[in-house]
Structure formats: C-alpha cells, structure tokens
Amino acid sequence: MACEWTKLWSVRAPYLCLLAGLAVTAVFTFYYASIARINEQAVQPVGNAAAASVVVTQFAVVILATVAVTSEYSTGTMRASLLWVPRRHRVQAAKALVTGMVAFLAGAVFAVVGTVVAWVAFDGRASFDAGTAVGQILSIGVYQALVAVLTVGVAFSARHPAGALSTLATLLWALPSVLLGLGGDALAAVNDALPYGAGDHFTRVGGDAPYSSATAVLIVAAWSAVAHVSGLYVLRRRDA
C-alpha cells in the first residue's frame, strides 16, 4: 500500500483529477441550486445539490483510479510491480484500497464544498440539518470509494484506458440516462439495480426510493465486488 500510495502521487494526473472534480462540484451545485430557486421548487435538503453533482464528479474518481492501473501497463512498470509482489491479489487489493481511501476523502471534500456553494445559491429554498448534511457528506464519500474499487477492477480487466473508460462511462452514465429517458416502471427498476441508480438513492434525501439506504449501498458494493473479482481473474490468467 505504501508503494501504491507513492506511485499514485508521483504523477500529475491525480492532482488534476481532484482539482477538476472540485471545480465541477462548485459549478454544478451552484447551477442546481440556482435553478431550484428560480423555478421556486419545493424546499429540499441542501445536501441534495452535492448528491446530484455526483453524476459528473464520479468521473474524476473514475479517471484517477483508471490511470492508477492502466498507466503501469502502458509503461511496462506492471512487470516490476508483480516481480516485487508476486501474489497478484495483493497488488490489486493495494490499488483498490489506496484509490478507495483517496476517493472517500475526495468525495467528502467535494460534498462539503458543494453543500456550502449550494446553500448560498439556494437563497432560502433549502433546509439545513446538521445530522442530515453530515450523513449525506459521508454517503457521497462512501459511494465515491466504491466507484474507485469498481474502476480498479474494470481497469485490470480492460488493461487499456480507452476500454476501461468507455465501459465505465456506459455503466455509470450512458445506460442510466437512456433507461430514465425512455421511461417506464420496468426500465426504472433496471436503473435502480445499476451502480449509479443505487448510489443516487443512497446519497439523496427525500426521494421515492424503492429500497432502503442499506440495500442501496449493498447494490453498489456488489457491483464493485464483481468488478474486483473479474479484474483479479484476468490479472491471474494473463501476463503483464
């Protein structure tokens, strides 16, 4: 884990991803709250703005975790990593844990910034409860951490940034958008079983969720576990 931590911060990509995520959070939450205020929508928890921004900020985490894996394949340093640590499951677990921890902290910071910005932009069209706000901040961090673990698994399976990013963009954004755009109870149920659909129910407050928050986070965790096992299978079966 110490090695993976050093490798992660030895290049500029993680810093750029986190800065981009922070900037996008501020812009998105300001826009979200401003639209709610202008349209005089019903008062909602201020943390919902930060929860809504996850649809875009999750890709800062996706890119960070993808680069943490695929950059080693593109440069050939994966051979050295596996030479130093022959037990391949330890290499993958270390990457998942390190990127997961960074994603949790980043997600929580994004949520704090988004909540502050949204509170100003809502201008009275939002409610604030300390317990609810802290709960949403932590839930966003947990979701982002699970997305990082999911990404590491997909990246080990694809081994190429284009393949990993296209798969994750489809799973986390394109497919949910199509399902919700087409409408219908059956397609909505499918979306509720996808990572972002469950994550949205987990992080938002006041929505009509078809299941509890505990079930929602378990659905996201199950997707992350499947991706992790799939990536480990490929890592063990193929040479670096």
Side-chain angles (χ1 to χ4, degrees):
M1 287 184 65
C3 180
E4 294 300 333
W5 179 267
T6 301
K7 286 188 288 186
L8 181 65
W9 299 112
S10 63
V11 294
R12 289 191 295 269
Y15 300 98
L16 296 176
C17 288
L18 297 178
L19 287 174
L22 199 61
V24 170
T25 298
V27 172
F28 188 100
T29 52
F30 182 85
Y31 175 79
Y32 179 98
S34 297
I35 292 298
R37 184 189 72 248
I38 293 170
N39 294 333
E40 297 184 349
Q41 296 177 3
V43 174
Q44 59 183 297
V46 65
N48 279 357
S53 70
V54 170
V55 69
V56 286
T57 58
Q58 63 183 340
F59 288 102
V61 171
V62 165
I63 295 172
L64 183 151
T66 298
V67 170
V69 177
T70 58
S71 61
E72 290 210 53
Y73 283 106
S74 61
T75 59
T77 53
M78 182 58 73
R79 299 187 185 92
S81 295
L82 296 178
L83 180 63
W84 296 329
V85 187
R87 295 184 178 181
R88 300 189 174 196
H89 68 277
R90 295 181 63 185
V91 174
Q92 183 174 341
K95 285 187 181 293
L97 287 171
V98 168
T99 55
M101 289 189 298
V102 172
F104 173 80
L105 294 174
V109 172
F110 293 166
V112 170
V113 172
T115 299
V116 172
V117 172
W119 179 252
V120 175
F122 269 123
D123 193 22
R125 300 299 302 181
S127 61
F128 176 79
D129 176 76
T132 301
V134 171
Q136 287 189 277
I137 289 168
L138 294 176
S139 65
I140 291 171
V142 170
Y143 174 74
Q144 295 281 31
L146 291 173
V147 167
V149 176
L150 171 69
T151 301
V152 168
V154 172
F156 269 109
S157 296
R159 297 192 171 198
H160 193 277
L165 291 174
S166 60
T167 300
L168 291 160
T170 300
L171 181 63
L172 297 174
W173 177 73
L175 188 54
S177 298
V178 171
L179 293 173
L180 294 178
L182 292 175
D185 294 338
L187 296 182
V190 174
N191 179 68
D192 290 336
L194 295 176
Y196 177 70
D200 189 52
H201 292 312
F202 177 55
T203 55
R204 285 187 194 249
V205 172
D208 296 326
Y211 39 64
S212 66
S213 296
T215 301
V217 74
L218 286 175
I219 291 173
V220 184
W223 278 94
S224 299
V226 170
H228 187 84
V229 171
S230 176
L232 181 59
Y233 175 80
V234 174
L235 181 61
R236 284 177 167 174
R237 296 280 294 180
R238 295 174 58 184
D239 291 333

